[in-house]
């Protein structure tokens, strides 16, 4: 035995010596970079990073210039007078921009902020905190930048304002570029993301219709957060890059929450994605819980800076994250793959769900809140859990953005080739992630470093996160068409990443057991050829359309509205109060500065009630009732709109007159439901 052991040790020593002699040549054949000097490899990585960043920044800048040029061509913006420019801001956009104008007219920034937080010159008989009510932090930032940069003598306020929004859209585009680049490892994915985003602009953004919308200010920060989170979740990332990604996730999450009153709902969907990712042990638990801490910190700061807004305290995000943090100790003992651990996992899901629901119920019980109650009522009626005669809820149900997506939406995405490739990439990634989940449930370990030859794209935590996140967003978009503006941009990013990723093709070839051609070589060829073919076909078909769109001069001129605004400014007394539809009231406030009886705001109970009461002018109520309603708000002028009187909606029962008749009991709700 001793002689045999000695011979074995001698043979191992000889083999190791031979391996050491042959290793350099073999390693050079497998990876040419290993035979090069460290300085060369470092320079190569730096050059790739530098030119990739230049490509991302260039794409963002070109998109911002494209939006600016299209806006100029659509509205003839530079050739219009100030009043005609302001009329292009419709509905919610008008009231946002009007507060920006007021800030610039104030003698000082501090005085302007005070007047907004104690505003009694906008809505009759009411003093509102406009900063909290309308989420005016974007306007505060824009006014500070405009005055601090000394732009008063260089550029008009309106150009500065819309320029910031277009610049943020450029950042949005660059962030999507970087996300697909980080996931695939090639700039080609970023360029394809940009192409698909612009081609499907009708379904990826609402910047064409309403520039100052809160989502146009907020979503670029969310895109930056997703890009940073993608890098942060990667397994093989150095400490400096991980620290940078963590700081960027923190800053962008907080800023996103400050810019949009509904941001915490989108972060809730993201938190659910991370929860599922962590529950199946697809990511490092410590990283996920660091993101949870970021959520809590952002909610706390948002609550303070939004003037102790109770909507953030009763948000589902706070309840979920608090439940997850409380359940952390139990989760630490579940990832062993045994039968007991699988049972604990089921109990863990039940525990998190129970704690979340209980905590949210307790918070809503003890925290006084009225904001967004109509959202819950809307969801109940939307999913058939309840019926209502409430005007606001039924009006929301009739809005196009809150309907299920139309066939035209899927047809447009199919014609641009986005939907077919997105489905292909999603199926492959989802199947790979499912395999990884079953492997983890059965006790199998995850590989620390995944090579191209492995064909296991689902083991990359950032890929698993995006698969879960896009499926949740897609499920919501299938119910509410307005969610498509949140989902479609990430469809572009995920589809572009997939077709440009050799790992995805290699994963597919592993399943097909491809033998005729070397699978790695074919995967590398397809990851270059397929996106090149897609890009060429998109350029050939859509580039002439985009250039034609930019060269054509469109005409937007609402002579009736211009005449109305001019009459108000010349004839109406300063103390006049106007009543009418909320959309028109926002425009009157912007163009004339006169006081109005209602505003286009849908997160305040009193303003919602005002809107419904003033809409009664189109109902079957008596003239005496209408007079009492208008005088209760001190309204001196009433504006009747032909577009509402003669409204012919695509769905019977969704006209304002019909909804008012239902709310007033003049028409039974069963009649309305049978025709919607």
């Amino acid at each position: 035995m001793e002689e045999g052991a000695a011979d074995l040790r001698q043979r191992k020593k000889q083999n190791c010596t031979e391996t050491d002699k042959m290793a350099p040549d073999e390693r050079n054949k497998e990876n040419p970079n290993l035979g090069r000097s460290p300085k060369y490899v470092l320079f190569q990585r730096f050059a790739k990073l530098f030119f990739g960043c230049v490509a991302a920044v260039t794409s963002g800048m070109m998109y911002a210039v494209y939006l600016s040029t299209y806006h100029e061509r659509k509205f003839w913006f530079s050739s219009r007078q100030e009043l005609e420019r302001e009329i292009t801001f419709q509905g919610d956009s008008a009231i946002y921009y009007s507060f920006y104008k007021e800030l610039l007219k104030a003698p000082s920034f501090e005085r302007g902020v005070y007047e907004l937080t104690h505003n009694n010159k906008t809505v009759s008989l009411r003093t509102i905190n406009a900063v909290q009510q309308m989420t005016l932090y974007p306007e505060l930032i824009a006014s500070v930048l405009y005055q601090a940069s000394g732009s008063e003598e260089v550029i008009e306020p309106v150009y500065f304002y819309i320029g910031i929004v277009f610049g943020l859209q450029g950042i949005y585009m660059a962030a999507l570029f970087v996300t697909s680049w980080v996931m695939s490892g090639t700039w080609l994915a970023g360029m394809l993301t940009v192409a698909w985003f612009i081609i499907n602009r009708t379904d990826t953004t609402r910047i064409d219709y309403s520039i100052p919308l809160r989502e146009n200010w907020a979503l670029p920060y969310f895109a930056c957060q997703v890009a940073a989170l993608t890098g942060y979740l990667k397994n093989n990332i150095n400490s400096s890059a991980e620290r940078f990604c963590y700081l960027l996730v923190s800053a962008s999450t907080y800023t996103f929450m400050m810019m949009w009153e509904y941001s915490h709902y989108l972060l809730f969907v993201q938190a659910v994605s991370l929860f599922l990712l962590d529950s199946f042990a697809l990511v490092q638990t410590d990283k996920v819980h660091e993101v949870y801490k970021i959520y809590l910190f952002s909610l706390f700061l948002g609550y303070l800076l939004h003037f102790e807004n109770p909507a953030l305290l009763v948000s589902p995000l706070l309840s979920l994250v608090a439940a997850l943090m409380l359940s952390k100790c139990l989760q630490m003992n579940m990832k062993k793959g045994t039968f007991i651990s699988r049972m604990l996992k089921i109990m863990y899901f039940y525990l998190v769900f129970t704690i979340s629901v209980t905590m949210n119920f307790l918070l809503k019980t003890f925290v006084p809140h009225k904001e967004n109650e109509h959202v819950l009522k809307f969801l109940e009626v939307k999913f058939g859990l309840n019926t209502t005669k409430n005007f606001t809820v039924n009006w929301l149900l009739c809005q196009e953005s809150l309907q299920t997506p139309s066939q035209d939406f899927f047809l447009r995405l199919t014609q641009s080739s986005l939907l077919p490739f997105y489905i292909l990439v999603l199926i492959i990634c989802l199947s790979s992630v499912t395999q990884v989940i079953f492997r983890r449930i059965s006790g199998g370990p995850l590989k620390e470093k995944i090579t191209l030859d492995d064909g296991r794209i689902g083991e990359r935590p950032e890929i698993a996160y995006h698969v879960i996140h896009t499926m949740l967003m897609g499920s919501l978009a299938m119910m509410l068409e307005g969610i498509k503006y949140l989902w479609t941009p990430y469809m572009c990013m995920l589809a572009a990443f997939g077709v440009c990723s050799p790992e995805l093709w290699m994963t597919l070839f592993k399943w097909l057991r491809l033998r005729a051609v070397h699978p790695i070589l074919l995967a590398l060829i397809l990851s270059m050829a397929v996106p090149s073919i897609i890009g060429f076909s998109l350029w050939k078909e859509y580039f002439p359309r985009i250039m034609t769109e930019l060269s054509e001069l469109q005409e937007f001129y609402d002579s009736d509205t211009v005449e109305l605004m001019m009459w108000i400014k010349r004839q109406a007394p300063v103390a006049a109060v106007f009543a009418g539809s909320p959309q028109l009231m926002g425009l009157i406030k912007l163009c004339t500065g006169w006081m109005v009886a209602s505003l286009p705001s849908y997160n305040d109970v009193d303003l919602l009630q005002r809107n419904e009461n003033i809409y009664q002018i189109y109902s079957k109520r008596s003239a005496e009732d209408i007079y009492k309603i208008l005088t209760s708000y001190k309204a001196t002028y009433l504006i009747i709109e032909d577009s509402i009187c003669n409204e012919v909606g695509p769905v019977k029962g969704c006209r304002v007159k019909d909804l008012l008749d239902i709310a007033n009991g003049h028409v039974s709700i069963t009649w309305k439901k049978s025709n919607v």
Side-chain angles (χ1 to χ4, degrees):
M1 291 292 292
E2 293 179 357
E3 292 178 358
D7 293 340
L8 181 60
R9 286 194 297 270
Q10 186 175 1
R11 286 196 301 269
K12 286 184 177 180
K13 185 175 181 181
Q14 291 175 356
N15 291 338
C16 291
T17 304
E18 293 176 0
T19 303
D20 292 340
K21 291 180 180 179
M22 297 177 63
D25 294 335
E26 293 178 358
R27 286 197 297 266
N28 289 341
K29 290 179 181 179
E30 293 178 0
N31 191 351
N33 288 336
L34 294 177
R36 298 171 181 172
S37 64
K39 292 184 178 180
Y40 180 84
V41 175
L42 182 63
F43 174 78
Q44 188 179 30
R45 292 178 179 176
F46 175 78
K48 182 179 179 180
L49 178 63
F50 174 77
F51 288 108
C53 292
V54 170
V57 172
T58 303
S59 299
M61 294 178 62
M62 291 181 64
Y63 179 61
V65 172
Y66 165 75
L67 289 177
S68 178
T69 305
Y70 178 77
H71 181 262
E72 172 64 28
R73 293 289 182 177
K74 182 177 181 179
F75 296 109
W76 295 15
F77 211 68
S78 60
S79 60
R80 300 291 189 189
Q81 299 295 324
E82 181 180 4
L83 176 61
E84 297 170 352
R85 292 175 184 172
E86 292 177 348
I87 287 177
T88 62
F89 296 104
Q90 299 288 327
D92 299 3
S93 302
I95 196 65
Y96 293 136
Y97 184 72
S98 70
F99 288 123
Y100 168 74
K101 282 180 58 178
E102 290 185 11
L103 278 169
L104 296 181
K105 293 178 180 179
S108 65
F109 177 74
E110 293 79 8
R111 182 62 185 175
V113 173
Y114 178 82
E115 291 178 353
L116 288 184
T117 55
H118 301 78
N119 188 288
N120 57 2
K121 299 179 180 178
T122 299
V123 182
S124 61
L125 301 180
R126 180 161 178 203
T127 298
I128 63 173
N129 184 343
V131 177
Q132 178 190 10
Q133 198 72 47
M134 308 297 296
T135 317
L136 294 182
Y137 278 101
E139 283 67 34
L140 295 179
I141 295 173
S143 63
V144 168
L145 292 177
Y146 183 72
Q147 294 173 340
S149 61
S151 302
E152 294 92 337
E153 300 178 358
V154 180
I155 187 173
E156 296 180 45
V158 63
Y159 281 108
F160 187 85
Y161 184 86
I162 64 175
I164 292 179
V165 182
F166 291 153
L168 286 174
Q169 301 309 301
I171 295 175
Y172 192 3
M173 182 66 70
L176 293 175
F177 183 107
V178 171
T179 304
S180 57
W181 173 26
V182 169
M183 294 172 65
S184 63
T186 174
W187 316 333
L188 197 58
M191 301 302 295
L192 188 56
T193 301
V194 172
W196 264 327
F197 186 96
I198 296 177
I199 289 170
N200 296 282
R201 195 181 73 254
T202 304
D203 303 304
T204 56
T205 179
R206 286 196 285 188
I207 191 70
D208 292 353
Y209 311 108
S210 301
I211 293 177
L213 282 180
R214 301 301 85 177
E215 63 189 63
N216 293 332
W217 285 88
L219 290 181
Y221 296 102
F222 183 69
C224 292
Q225 190 251 25
V226 170
L229 185 62
T230 302
Y232 182 67
L233 294 178
K234 291 173 69 72
N235 285 329
N236 302 314
I237 182 174
N238 59 61
S239 58
S240 299
E242 182 178 334
R243 191 178 302 110
F244 172 77
C245 291
Y246 176 80
L247 293 175
L248 185 55
V249 170
S250 303
S252 55
T253 301
Y254 169 68
T255 308
F256 175 58
M257 190 168 292
M258 294 300 300
M259 293 291 176
W260 195 16
E261 66 268 28
Y262 299 119
S263 59
H264 56 91
Y265 291 112
L266 188 54
L267 291 176
F268 170 74
V269 176
Q270 186 183 70
V272 172
S273 304
L274 294 175
F275 161 60
L276 296 175
L277 195 70
D278 183 39
S279 299
F280 294 115
L282 301 176
V283 68
Q284 299 177 25
T285 301
D286 293 340
K287 289 186 176 182
V288 174
H289 283 277
E290 287 298 322
V291 178
Y292 292 159
K293 293 177 183 177
I294 293 174
Y295 290 152
L296 291 176
F297 181 72
S298 299
L299 281 169
F300 175 72
L301 286 182
Y303 173 73
L304 294 179
L305 293 181
H306 276 293
F307 305 91
E308 300 182 356
N309 186 1
L312 295 178
L313 291 182
V314 299
S315 67
L317 176 63
L318 178 60
S319 301
L320 175 64
V321 173
L324 291 170
M325 299 295 287
L326 291 174
S327 306
K328 179 179 180 181
C329 296
L330 177 61
Q331 187 185 21
M332 297 294 290
N333 299 321
M334 290 185 340
K335 301 175 181 178
K336 299 178 182 177
T338 63
F339 175 77
I340 296 178
S341 69
R342 289 195 288 270
M343 294 302 296
L344 287 174
K345 188 179 291 292
I346 298 175
M347 292 176 61
Y348 174 70
F349 278 101
Y350 176 76
L351 180 63
V352 170
F353 176 77
T354 304
I355 295 177
S356 300
V357 173
T358 303
M359 184 172 294
N360 192 258
F361 175 77
L362 292 176
L363 287 172
K364 288 184 176 180
T365 301
F366 293 102
V367 177
H369 71 287
K370 294 182 179 179
E371 291 81 358
N372 301 331
E373 286 186 355
H374 62 285
V375 176
L376 297 178
K377 294 180 181 178
F378 163 77
L379 293 176
E380 290 179 359
V381 179
K382 177 71 176 179
F383 297 123
L385 301 177
N386 197 358
T387 58
T388 181
K389 295 183 178 181
N390 184 274
F391 169 80
T392 301
V393 174
N394 287 328
W395 182 81
L396 289 174
L397 286 169
C398 290
Q399 297 305 300
E400 183 180 355
S401 61
L402 298 178
Q403 302 291 323
T404 55
S406 62
Q407 294 182 355
D408 293 339
F409 168 65
F410 299 103
L411 181 61
R412 289 191 298 267
L413 297 186
T414 303
Q415 289 175 343
S416 65
S417 72
L418 173 60
L419 186 60
F421 283 105
Y422 169 77
I423 294 176
L424 173 65
V425 172
L426 182 60
I427 290 175
I428 296 175
C429 291
L430 178 61
S431 301
S432 182
V433 170
T434 304
Q435 287 182 341
V436 176
I437 291 174
F438 279 112
R439 193 180 300 120
R440 291 296 291 156
I441 292 176
S442 59
L446 292 178
K447 294 187 66 174
E448 293 184 1
K449 186 175 182 180
I450 303 171
T451 61
L452 179 60
D453 189 55
D454 294 330
R456 295 183 180 180
I457 195 170
E459 289 196 10
R460 291 173 55 186
E462 69 275 16
I463 304 301
Y465 158 71
H466 280 287
V467 169
I468 297 173
H469 195 187
T470 191
M471 289 181 63
L472 292 177
M473 293 299 299
S475 301
L476 293 174
M478 293 301 100
M479 296 181 288
L480 304 173
E481 187 174 3
I483 305 294
K484 71 179 182 180
Y485 299 109
L486 308 176
W487 179 50
T488 312
Y490 297 99
M491 289 180 63
C492 301
M493 179 269 298
L494 192 68
F497 138 75
V499 298
C500 296
S501 174
E503 290 182 72
L504 182 130
W505 296 110
M506 192 63 195
T507 302
L508 179 61
F509 296 153
K510 280 287 185 179
W511 295 339
L512 299 177
R513 300 182 183 275
L514 187 64
R515 301 294 183 185
V517 184
H518 196 283
I520 295 181
L521 178 62
L522 184 58
L524 292 172
I525 293 175
L526 288 178
S527 65
M528 295 293 293
V530 173
S532 299
I533 295 173
I534 295 173
F536 178 76
S537 62
L538 293 178
W539 177 81
K540 184 178 181 181
E541 181 176 357
Y542 290 96
F543 183 75
R545 300 185 189 180
I546 293 175
M547 297 308 297
T548 302
E549 186 181 65
L550 293 179
S551 60
E552 289 182 349
L553 285 174
Q554 305 180 40
E555 184 174 359
F556 176 85
Y557 187 73
D558 190 346
S559 58
D560 293 338
T561 305
V562 172
E563 184 178 354
L564 172 63
M565 300 305 163
M566 294 297 295
W567 182 89
I568 293 174
K569 296 176 75 172
R570 293 173 180 172
Q571 304 293 332
V574 178
V577 176
F578 288 85
S581 68
Q583 292 74 23
L584 183 58
M585 294 302 99
L587 201 57
I588 288 176
K589 174 60 182 174
L590 168 61
C591 297
T592 67
W594 261 248
M595 189 174 291
V596 295
S598 62
L599 283 179
S601 175
Y602 306 105
N603 58 359
D604 180 86
V605 176
D606 179 67
L607 290 178
L608 286 172
Q609 189 61 49
R610 280 178 176 243
N611 293 341
E612 180 179 353
N613 290 341
I614 294 175
Y615 265 132
Q616 296 295 330
I617 59 179
Y618 300 103
S619 69
K620 297 179 179 179
R621 300 278 292 272
S622 64
E624 291 79 5
D625 290 342
I626 300 299
Y627 178 79
K628 290 178 181 179
I629 291 173
L630 295 177
T631 53
S632 67
Y633 296 127
K634 301 297 182 182
T636 54
Y637 288 87
L638 174 63
I639 301 177
I640 306 294
E641 299 176 58
D642 291 338
S643 59
I644 299 179
C645 291
N646 304 322
E647 184 180 8
V648 180
V651 181
K652 189 176 182 180
C654 275
R655 299 178 301 176
V656 171
K657 295 181 292 184
D658 299 332
L659 298 178
L660 290 170
D661 291 340
I662 293 171
N664 297 333
H666 296 150
V667 176
S668 65
I669 191 171
T670 55
W671 176 87
K672 184 257 179 183
K673 293 291 290 184
S674 64
N675 288 279
V676 173

